[in-house]
Amino acid sequence: MNKGALALLVHGGTENWSPQRWKDRFDQVCSDRRVLLLPDAAFDPAEIHYAAVWKPAQGELAAFPNLRVIFNLGAGVDALMADSTLPKVPLVRVAVDDLTVRMTEYVVLHVLMHHRQELYLRASQREKRWAPKFQRPASAISVGVMGLGTLGSNAAQVLGRLGFRVSGWSRSARQIDGIECFHGNAQLEPFLRRTDILVCLLPLTPDTRHILNRELFAKLHRNSPLGAPVLVNAGRGGLQNEADILACLDDGTLGAASLDVYETEPLPADSPFWAHPKVVLTPHNAADTDPDEISKYVARQIERFEAGGTLENVVDPARGY
Amino acid sequence: MNKGALALLVHGGTENWSPQRWKDRFDQVCSDRRVLLLPDAAFDPAEIHYAAVWKPAQGELAAFPNLRVIFNLGAGVDALMADSTLPKVPLVRVAVDDLTVRMTEYVVLHVLMHHRQELYLRASQREKRWAPKFQRPASAISVGVMGLGTLGSNAAQVLGRLGFRVSGWSRSARQIDGIECFHGNAQLEPFLRRTDILVCLLPLTPDTRHILNRELFAKLHRNSPLGAPVLVNAGRGGLQNEADILACLDDGTLGAASLDVYETEPLPADSPFWAHPKVVLTPHNAADTDPDEISKYVARQIERFEAGGTLENVVDPARGY
């Protein structure tokens, strides 16, 4: 039997994400199927049954009349959901352990950096000052995680193991061992009131766009033992109002921020974030994903789908993630 | 009955460690006993049965003829063990959860900083360069913890939960869930050979003085995925040969180092560590201890001792810790 082909549409990425690297991986895990790295010399659009994509151009996917499933090679599907020409077939998000543990690394690192006064300590080192400062234990600090999917839940649990007081907030009710869970608009304010370090791992949807704004920051723990509350955003740049973050850092509403994502990426050279003394900036690398793990995940799902099984982690178009 | 008095000999420390703060805490937890903050106006040396000390002067403890137990208010007893006039009574080390979780915070933070290329990322931010670099997952990195007492075991377990490959080395054999344990001189080399990030939490004894030297660094994983192996020392400054660390950083035997302790503290202003681009320096604040927790720990031990029970965490003079 001639199996439908898999089209790879991979644009951009770091050295580990080269389109050819994806092609090599998919050739191995889909050895009984044609894998096309687009743009490809010669193929018939009708033979494409599956597409695995990273930042495809608007309309690119509409060219395949027999498309059955789209696999996004990252966790966030906001750009795809904004494409009105997207074929009405199941869209599958990545949810592999590899992505989860990498995001937890980032979250734990940045929460600890702020908790352990790294900005102060690095400045002391530059100034050659031996000046230890009172250091609270993790148990004195409340970390609030917005977004309690696979990523948020795992990060919250490791933070709890380190001794932080951890609470979480999500759109709909969740239950996680050892984490006080809040949900919905009505419980957002009590969640924020107790939060010293706010970690944002929300998906970007019309409901969450610019949710990280002055009004929200003003509701964070006002008598925070850290002096002022701290923001860590490793979700999407569209979640944050960047002018508000800068103004709130400057007037003390926020004490510091770790940002991995930005409204415009790469971050423009004239962004005030680069040189801001209270900003710890990373170039959207909180959770690189590994072609090895993800290609296996996609191949497994295709096999199950063709055997009549159910796809996992299918995006709900109404929720947007 | 007139209970023996407790003498407090507290020298140095940060704002949270003021001698008066210790006195206040001990007055509360030993309310049925005289607590003397030395130098005190008037007391009879013979009434002192217990001493709780932080960096006492050489010979200071020999002045109490009826001393029964010495409590050290920190984890490391190397300075006391070096005092040949130390009375031959039980010497008790601190082992409270508060100290353990603070040390784990430090270790996890610094291991993650090196694993996640923080030195590179901070330099990129200063230079306003958006330049994500290939980032391995924690599962590609072997962390080796030297010293598997309360502190080392807890840190090793949290590192394991984060996904690192973790092994440990200690003087005598240990068994810890999920950690590959090595012990004794014969197993030091195989332990080092696999280690990408070496975390040192050893006690300082005549056997361990200057154990962190070129010969040891040269045995670390030579094909480390980090480029070159990394040292994290939060034990004691006397464990490290500082000239060797500098030379090994400069010739590439070591890729970077996080140091919390130094041969001379405070670190002299002319130390090359301050401005070294591969050194992350902290002013011996990896694990501050909390007078609240420690005073309760000492009071509990005195009560048990007076009721005929056994003291916990008594230093073995032969081992030196």
Side-chain angles (χ1 to χ4, degrees), chain A residues 147-150 153 169-176 179-183:
Chain A
L148 294 175
T150 313
S153 305
W169 180 86
S170 51
R171 206 182 64 101
S172 48
R174 295 292 308 264
Q175 224 174 337
I176 304 170
I179 312 298
E180 186 158 7
C181 292
F182 297 78
H183 74 278

Side-chain angles (χ1 to χ4, degrees), chain B residues 142-148 156 165-170 179-202 211-212 216 219-221:
Chain B
S142 285
V143 182
V145 179
M146 291 185 90
L148 295 174
R165 297 199 296 246
V166 185
S167 47
W169 180 86
S170 52
I179 312 298
E180 186 159 5
C181 291
F182 297 78
H183 74 277
N185 288 335
Q187 292 180 9
L188 181 57
E189 187 157 333
F191 161 80
L192 295 170
R193 290 265 174 245
R194 68 173 56 200
T195 293
D196 299 305
I197 301 180
L198 181 68
V199 175
C200 183
L201 293 170
L202 289 170
I211 190 171
L212 300 173
L216 180 142
K219 290 178 183 152
L220 292 167
H221 189 190

Side-chain angles (χ1 to χ4, degrees), chain A residues 69 90 300-312 314:
Chain A
V69 187
R300 260 197 323 270
Q301 291 234 44
I302 292 178
E303 274 168 39
R304 201 184 303 128
F305 177 74
E306 295 196 335
T310 317
L311 294 165
E312 288 173 351
V314 175

Side-chain angles (χ1 to χ4, degrees), chain A:
Chain A
M1 174 195 149
N2 197 1
K3 290 190 170 186
L6 169 72
L8 276 171
L9 290 80
V10 177
H11 299 298
T14 59
E15 79 246 55
N16 190 41
W17 267 82
S18 72
Q20 190 57 49
R21 173 130 194 232
W22 283 105
K23 171 82 162 81
D24 295 343
R25 300 307 307 151
F26 273 106
D27 276 336
Q28 284 194 24
V29 294
C30 298
S31 56
D32 55 351
R33 182 184 311 279
R34 194 166 174 210
V35 176
L36 298 157
L37 179 61
L38 268 55
D40 199 285
F43 72 98
D44 173 4
E47 71 177 304
I48 306 285
H49 287 189
Y50 307 99
V53 305
W54 177 246
K55 300 186 177 169
Q58 293 257 331
E60 218 175 344
L61 286 160
F64 309 128
N66 297 319
L67 195 63
R68 297 185 185 170
V69 187
I70 302 167
F71 296 92
N72 188 49
L73 297 174
V77 294
D78 41 284
L80 286 169
M81 298 305 290
D83 180 355
S84 60
T85 70
L86 196 75
K88 300 275 178 283
V89 299
L91 167 61
V92 172
R93 285 183 298 134
V94 158
V96 295
D97 285 351
D98 177 71
L99 181 67
T100 305
V101 300
R102 282 162 187 265
M103 184 57 91
T104 294
E105 292 173 18
Y106 174 91
V107 169
V108 170
L109 170 60
H110 286 265
V111 167
L112 280 173
M113 282 175 78
H114 293 291
H115 165 57
R116 296 286 305 208
Q117 313 182 79
E118 264 298 306
L119 289 173
Y120 167 80
L121 289 166
R122 279 326 106 227
S124 299
Q125 180 174 357
R126 280 194 300 276
E127 297 156 12
K128 304 193 179 185
R129 281 192 300 111
W130 180 276
K133 226 174 142 178
F134 177 55
Q135 175 61 49
R136 284 179 182 76
S139 58
I141 304 298
S142 285
V143 181
V145 179
M146 292 186 89
L148 294 175
T150 313
L151 303 180
S153 305
N154 191 58
Q157 285 174 320
V158 178
L159 290 167
R161 172 68 180 80
L162 277 162
F164 289 100
R165 296 198 297 247
V166 185
S167 47
W169 180 86
S170 51
R171 206 182 64 101
S172 48
R174 295 292 308 264
Q175 224 174 337
I176 304 170
D177 263 4
I179 312 298
E180 186 158 7
C181 292
F182 297 78
H183 74 278
N185 288 335
Q187 292 180 10
L188 181 56
E189 187 157 332
F191 162 78
L192 295 169
R193 290 263 175 248
R194 69 173 55 201
T195 293
D196 299 306
I197 301 179
L198 180 68
V199 175
C200 183
L201 293 170
L202 289 170
L204 178 60
T205 70
D207 285 343
T208 61
R209 180 167 295 278
H210 283 195
I211 191 172
L212 300 173
N213 59 33
R214 174 178 284 283
E215 192 189 349
L216 179 142
F217 301 143
K219 289 176 184 153
L220 292 167
H221 190 192
R222 285 335 305 164
N223 297 308
S224 172
L226 297 173
V230 168
L231 169 67
V232 177
N233 185 16
R236 274 288 185 266
L239 297 165
Q240 69 199 13
N241 180 323
E242 298 190 349
D244 279 7
I245 292 176
L246 285 162
C248 287
L249 287 170
D250 290 340
D251 72 13
T253 304
L254 289 176
S258 278
L259 303 176
D260 186 53
V261 290
Y262 309 90
E263 296 192 71
T264 303
E265 295 179 7
L267 185 65
D270 62 355
S271 165
F273 286 144
W274 287 109
H276 200 293
K278 295 180 181 169
V279 172
V280 183
L281 182 160
T282 47
H284 201 151
N285 73 340
D288 284 349
T289 41
D290 178 351
D292 289 14
E293 294 302 316
I294 294 173
S295 54
K296 283 184 221 157
Y297 165 86
V298 170
R300 260 197 323 270
Q301 291 234 44
I302 292 178
E303 274 168 39
R304 201 184 303 128
F305 177 74
E306 295 196 335
T310 317
L311 294 165
E312 288 173 351
N313 304 306
V314 175
V315 171
D316 173 351
R319 290 193 316 182
Y321 64 94

